[in-house]
Amino acid sequence: MNSALLQQILQVGNEDAQMHALFADSFAALGRLDNVTLVMVFHPQYLESFLKTQHYLLQMDGPLPLHYRHYIGIMAAARHQCSYLVNLHVNDFLHVGGDPKWLNGLENAPQKLQNLGELNKILAHRPWLLTKEHIEQLLKTEEHSWSLAELIHAVVLLTHYHSLASFTFGCGISPEIHCDGGHTFRPPSVSNYCICDIANGNHGTDEMQISPTGSISTAESLCEVEVLMEKMKQLQECRDEEEASQEEMATRFEREKRESMFVYFSEEEELAPTRDVSRHFEDTSYGYKDFSRHGMHVPTFRVQDYSWEDHGYSLVNRLYPDVGQLLDEKFHIAYNLTYHTMAMHKDVDTSTLRRAIWNYIHCMFGIRYDDYDYGEINQLLDRSFKVYIKTVVCTPEKTTKRMYDSFWRQFKQSEKVHVNLLLIEARMQAELLYALRAITRYMT
């Protein structure tokens, strides 16, 4: 991480009692102050909830032993080739007494953990394919079976680390200086950038203005902010005046879901996972891209039939006490977080934009809210922003600095981090909804 930014963050931490306390708590819990924490500190209210939840999942009383928890974190991060998170949890796994032989490959871990590989793969890339039969296979494998409570713990860990891999790549987080790759000041991935550098202005102004369509002037970028704010205002006014029929709302959802399948960055390239990462999971060719490229249909998941608030929350809380509450708090903070600012503007109601981002992510996963007009998404999210969202959420290992630079050019870096918080929490909730619905169907 860039040392100048580190000094800036620590200075803010010293001036802000809440941030200082968060740094202290994080260091006490993890024995380190990692770069994920240092980037999230732009948003202390969210960071506090995130750290509390992660601490509970990894260290407090729960169905799974400590070394299993870190190994599942390794398995989940490895699906997205996130060597940063893999290496962190390799160290933690060994620290809590994990068997080093397991790190030679998933085939060396207990059969019980190997059996989790299929669930890990489907949740990470195509959660809509998850069925109660997948759950049954894990719960009824005789000597290697999982209990319901253990499975809930594992599912929450898997979704947590799939999403955290998205944040790591989405913000270009690099290893700590004492870790492998830490001296390079960039992540050991295709991303090749670090938000720490971006936030400190360690790149040319011209570079910041380049998008896939060419050079963009500062004046044009400022104009984009004004246009976006005007669209938000118009949508809020139109919503009060007219309401589309249920049939039209359903049509707009299907159209947006279909279009989202074809949102890809033109310079996409194939990435072969390194042996250090790929040994922690099976079927390296399985991914979201295969699904969308073959034009297969994503079934619609109606939130009115199964929602986090009415179904998922209570199931998690019943089988893994307190975790449902922690997750619910984290989802709400991410969804509702606002400083009423947009770039250089103050006193702005950003709720319409935040909802569009959240619902677009769920739309990509086939999740529909009957009361939302999906026509708003195309009004508020331009193609470069959609490309960034789709990449960070579905194939985070392919995120590039160019994608990061090409959307919201005049917004603050803290606002771009804010976007990433929305992305990872919407993604985690989407994965959880599919997993918890499958578990509920198995139970009933």
Side-chain angles (χ1 to χ4, degrees):
M1 172 168 286
N2 185 288
S3 60
L5 178 68
L6 180 59
Q7 291 175 355
Q8 176 187 333
I9 292 173
L10 291 174
Q11 180 180 353
V12 172
N14 284 327
E15 293 170 356
D16 187 308
Q18 182 185 12
M19 288 189 193
H20 187 69
L22 285 172
F23 282 150
D25 289 346
S26 178
F27 189 83
L30 300 172
R32 61 175 181 264
L33 199 56
D34 64 36
N35 286 345
V36 168
T37 301
L38 290 174
V39 173
M40 284 186 180
V41 85
F42 277 123
H43 305 284
Q45 184 187 7
Y46 174 85
L47 176 59
E48 182 176 15
S49 178
F50 172 86
L51 290 175
K52 190 162 52 173
T53 303
Q54 184 169 262
H55 177 71
Y56 198 99
L57 292 175
L58 292 176
Q59 300 186 27
M60 300 296 285
D61 288 343
L64 293 173
L66 297 182
H67 62 303
Y68 265 53
R69 303 180 196 192
H70 291 292
Y71 198 82
I72 291 169
I74 293 168
M75 289 173 63
R79 279 269 27 136
H80 285 307
Q81 306 171 37
C82 188
S83 52
Y84 172 80
L85 291 177
V86 168
N87 291 334
L88 281 183
H89 286 281
V90 162
N91 292 333
D92 291 338
F93 171 78
L94 295 172
H95 182 71
V96 296
D99 187 342
K101 292 176 184 173
W102 297 10
L103 300 175
N104 292 327
L106 186 57
E107 68 276 8
N108 296 291
Q111 188 62 47
K112 183 171 179 175
L113 283 168
Q114 291 184 45
N115 293 346
L116 199 64
E118 184 74 5
L119 179 66
N120 181 27
K121 176 177 82 173
I122 294 172
L123 271 181
H125 305 296
R126 310 178 197 175
W128 48 86
L129 297 181
L130 199 62
T131 67
K132 66 178 181 180
E133 285 72 31
H134 291 112
I135 303 304
E136 186 174 17
Q137 287 172 9
L138 288 167
L139 296 174
K140 293 194 169 181
T141 321
E142 299 178 358
E143 59 181 307
H144 304 299
S145 66
W146 293 73
S147 70
L148 267 173
E150 288 174 331
L151 185 57
I152 288 288
H153 194 170
V155 161
V156 175
L157 284 167
L158 289 173
T159 58
H160 176 80
Y161 282 104
H162 293 156
S163 301
L164 196 55
S166 285
F167 185 82
T168 301
F169 285 113
C171 292
I173 292 174
S174 57
E176 284 73 44
I177 194 68
H178 60 279
C179 298
D180 290 344
H183 64 283
T184 64
F185 295 104
R186 61 191 182 195
S189 72
V190 71
S191 302
N192 203 30
Y193 75 100
C194 176
I195 198 168
C196 319
D197 298 328
I198 297 168
N200 250 346
N202 293 336
H203 49 66
T205 304
D206 292 340
E207 182 183 3
M208 194 63 178
Q209 302 304 327
I210 296 298
S211 78
T213 56
S215 180
I216 303 293
S217 69
T218 302
E220 286 175 289
S221 297
L222 290 169
C223 182
E224 286 178 350
V225 179
E226 307 291 345
V227 169
L228 179 55
M229 288 181 62
E230 183 60 30
K231 286 180 178 177
M232 289 164 57
K233 181 182 176 183
Q234 289 174 358
L235 285 173
Q236 287 164 342
E237 290 171 353
C238 290
R239 200 183 297 142
D240 296 335
E241 294 172 8
E242 57 179 291
E243 189 172 320
S245 66
Q246 279 300 310
E247 292 77 10
E248 177 60 23
M249 299 271 264
T251 299
R252 290 175 184 176
F253 168 77
E254 291 298 330
R255 184 186 304 129
E256 190 60 51
K257 181 175 70 171
R258 189 169 58 250
E259 288 178 1
S260 75
M261 292 171 59
F262 300 101
V263 172
Y264 276 104
F265 192 60
S266 59
E267 295 183 5
E268 189 177 327
E269 59 182 287
E270 294 298 325
L271 296 172
T274 63
R275 169 62 186 159
D276 282 349
V277 171
S278 65
R279 61 185 168 185
H280 300 299
F281 66 94
E282 302 167 318
D283 197 355
T284 58
S285 64
Y286 190 95
Y288 182 97
K289 62 183 185 300
D290 303 322
F291 170 88
S292 55
R293 280 180 180 162
H294 287 92
M296 297 166 66
H297 179 66
V298 183
T300 295
F301 181 124
R302 295 178 71 250
V303 170
Q304 277 65 22
D305 298 331
Y306 196 97
S307 70
W308 166 257
E309 291 80 6
D310 296 332
H311 306 90
Y313 168 82
S314 56
L315 178 62
V316 172
N317 244 20
R318 178 151 51 94
L319 293 169
Y320 190 8
D322 298 327
V323 170
Q325 180 65 40
L326 288 168
L327 292 175
D328 192 59
E329 177 187 284
K330 187 159 63 78
F331 291 147
H332 275 92
I333 288 173
Y335 187 89
N336 295 307
L337 187 65
T338 182
Y339 304 96
H340 305 287
T341 61
M342 277 182 65
M344 70 296 297
H345 298 280
K346 297 181 180 179
D347 301 318
V348 182
D349 180 358
T350 61
S351 58
T352 302
L353 183 58
R354 284 182 279 117
R355 191 180 186 194
I357 295 169
W358 186 280
N359 287 0
Y360 179 60
I361 295 158
H362 280 196
C363 179
M364 292 190 302
F365 286 95
I367 298 171
R368 181 190 170 204
Y369 295 83
D370 286 353
D371 62 347
Y372 183 68
D373 181 357
Y374 286 83
E376 293 189 5
I377 289 173
N378 273 339
Q379 294 286 318
L380 298 174
L381 313 183
D382 63 22
R383 186 183 182 280
S384 62
F385 193 14
K386 283 185 173 182
V387 166
Y388 179 78
I389 292 172
K390 174 83 174 280
T391 307
V392 170
V393 171
C394 298
T395 53
E397 62 277 9
K398 301 177 91 161
T399 308
T400 66
K401 183 177 183 296
R402 186 176 182 185
M403 291 180 198
Y404 182 93
D405 287 347
S406 68
F407 83 94
W408 287 9
R409 284 174 287 270
Q410 288 302 313
F411 282 70
K412 301 169 189 170
Q413 301 308 323
S414 61
E415 290 172 315
K416 290 196 169 189
V417 174
H418 188 176
V419 165
N420 275 275
L421 300 183
L422 277 171
L423 303 193
I424 66 171
E425 293 303 332
R427 176 189 176 169
M428 182 175 184
Q429 190 178 95
E431 285 190 35
L432 277 175
L433 282 173
Y434 279 107
L436 297 174
R437 184 180 68 169
I439 292 171
T440 299
R441 287 177 172 175
Y442 166 81
M443 292 170 66
T444 55

